[in-house]
Amino acid sequence: MSDAAAGTPAPPPPSPWERERPVRARAASDRAPLSRERVVEAAFTVLDRQGLDGLSMRQVAAELGVTVSALYAYVSSKDDLLELMYTRLFDGFAIPEADPERWQEQVRDYARSWRQRLSSHRDMARISMAHVPFTAELLPHVEALLAVFRTAGLPDRIAAEAGDLISTYIDGFVLEEGMWQDRAAQHGGEGSSLARPDWRVMADEMQNYFASLPPAEFPHLRALSGVMVTDSSDERFDIGLEIMLRGLASYLPDPAA
């Protein structure tokens, strides 16, 4: 009986981005058998400790206490491993059924939740920006996000771009946050000659500098000096998201027309 006949949706066809992965039968003699899941978990551990530039197959193997060659029974390459890590980030993540009356609220919830997931592991935004989410495993997430925009009534051309626009904004925002965190860590702690001031101190310095600029040449920087730098990354994120949502809403058909 076919999947369709059994009432189970048929899986989507393989996309051009699918990777072939090795399949290894579990050996009865393995004392601590590896699995693809264990390899991915170890990769996350290395990523959080050393960052993407320090993540290598050798480091993952060392984390697991195995040889590098043992990993290739479960992943075909480092790129394959990164793709598995990216896919793992979607575990338990779902976009509710599209509701045209709540589409902006649904996009806000999606953006905030996805930002939180990307932020849960170091350099995950860099990995996200390098991978196309059109594999069979991730297509349902893309479909659900597009449904939010289309059922809201956005024109197809705008709906097609909106998902990528929002996702790119989230990736870029989290990437910037991570870069600042890494920079602070690299410059040592309190008392170090390389220590940098915390964000609040830097924000005050920037606000004071903008406010001190010559008014004739920089009237707008002076006028906005008190609001250009905020304490809260959450506030900055929400304002940027709101700008995009209002822009998208401007494309909705006028109900009075």
Side-chain angles (χ1 to χ4, degrees), residues 191-247:
S192 169
S193 60
L194 296 177
R196 300 177 68 89
D198 63 25
W199 173 247
R200 181 61 260 167
V201 174
M202 293 180 67
D204 288 342
E205 289 177 347
M206 284 188 279
Q207 289 175 346
N208 292 336
Y209 174 67
F210 294 149
S212 71
L213 293 171
E217 290 84 359
F218 303 100
H220 302 299
L221 275 171
R222 281 177 57 95
L224 300 176
S225 62
V227 293
M228 283 189 66
V229 184
T230 65
D231 286 339
S232 171
S233 289
D234 293 342
E235 181 183 2
R236 284 184 61 230
F237 182 81
D238 285 347
I239 289 174
L241 184 60
E242 196 65 27
I243 290 171
M244 286 188 287
L245 286 172
R246 294 190 185 192

Side-chain angles (χ1 to χ4, degrees), residues 122 175-200 202:
R122 182 178 176 185
L175 178 63
E176 182 190 52
E177 288 184 301
M179 290 173 65
W180 275 102
Q181 291 167 1
D182 286 347
R183 181 180 298 183
Q186 290 168 3
H187 283 80
E190 184 177 355
S192 169
S193 60
L194 296 177
R196 300 177 68 89
D198 63 25
W199 173 247
R200 181 61 260 167
M202 293 180 67

Side-chain angles (χ1 to χ4, degrees), residues 57 59 122 188 253:
M57 298 294 278
Q59 289 291 338
R122 182 178 176 185

Side-chain angles (χ1 to χ4, degrees), residues 7-254:
T8 302
S15 78
W17 300 277
E18 298 285 359
R19 298 178 186 274
E20 290 188 6
R21 297 191 174 112
V23 178
R24 176 181 183 271
R26 177 172 174 172
S29 60
D30 286 344
R31 293 184 179 178
L34 284 178
S35 66
R36 191 168 290 152
E37 290 71 25
R38 286 191 62 206
V39 172
V40 172
E41 287 298 330
F44 274 123
T45 299
V46 175
L47 181 71
D48 289 336
R49 184 175 63 236
Q50 299 179 208
L52 182 57
D53 293 334
L55 175 64
S56 67
M57 298 294 278
R58 186 176 300 278
Q59 289 291 338
V60 174
E63 183 68 26
L64 290 165
V66 300
T67 63
V68 175
S69 61
L71 300 182
Y72 290 105
Y74 303 95
V75 296
S76 60
S77 64
K78 180 180 175 180
D79 284 342
D80 185 27
L81 178 58
L82 293 177
E83 185 175 295
L84 287 167
M85 295 168 71
Y86 178 62
T87 301
R88 174 72 68 85
L89 212 62
F90 285 82
D91 284 358
F93 182 78
I95 299 174
E97 184 176 350
D99 181 350
E101 300 299 321
R102 299 179 57 253
W103 73 273
Q104 293 191 54
E105 182 180 345
Q106 288 184 315
V107 174
R108 290 187 192 98
D109 290 343
Y110 157 75
R112 291 165 181 162
S113 297
W114 190 240
R115 175 192 169 207
Q116 185 177 29
R117 291 210 170 213
L118 280 182
S119 300
S120 66
H121 292 287
R122 182 178 176 185
D123 283 344
M124 203 63 222
R126 288 176 60 188
I127 296 174
S128 176
M129 295 180 83
H131 288 81
V132 180
F134 296 150
T135 61
E137 294 164 300
L138 300 184
L139 280 180
H141 297 280
V142 179
E143 176 71 12
L145 183 58
L146 291 177
V148 172
F149 296 120
R150 292 197 75 212
T151 58
L154 290 174
D156 281 354
R157 187 70 186 92
I158 303 304
E161 295 292 345
D164 182 62
L165 174 68
I166 297 291
S167 296
T168 301
Y169 171 68
I170 301 168
D171 283 344
F173 196 95
V174 175
L175 178 63
E176 182 190 52
E177 288 184 301
M179 290 173 65
W180 275 102
Q181 291 167 1
D182 286 347
R183 181 180 298 183
Q186 290 168 3
H187 283 80
E190 184 177 355
S192 169
S193 60
L194 296 177
R196 300 177 68 89
D198 63 25
W199 173 247
R200 181 61 260 167
V201 174
M202 293 180 67
D204 288 342
E205 289 177 347
M206 284 188 279
Q207 289 175 346
N208 292 336
Y209 174 67
F210 294 149
S212 71
L213 293 171
E217 290 84 359
F218 303 100
H220 302 299
L221 275 171
R222 281 177 57 95
L224 300 176
S225 62
V227 293
M228 283 189 66
V229 184
T230 65
D231 286 339
S232 171
S233 289
D234 293 342
E235 181 183 2
R236 284 184 61 230
F237 182 81
D238 285 347
I239 289 174
L241 184 60
E242 196 65 27
I243 290 171
M244 286 188 287
L245 286 172
R246 294 190 185 192
L248 289 171
S250 71
Y251 287 95
L252 292 174
D254 185 351

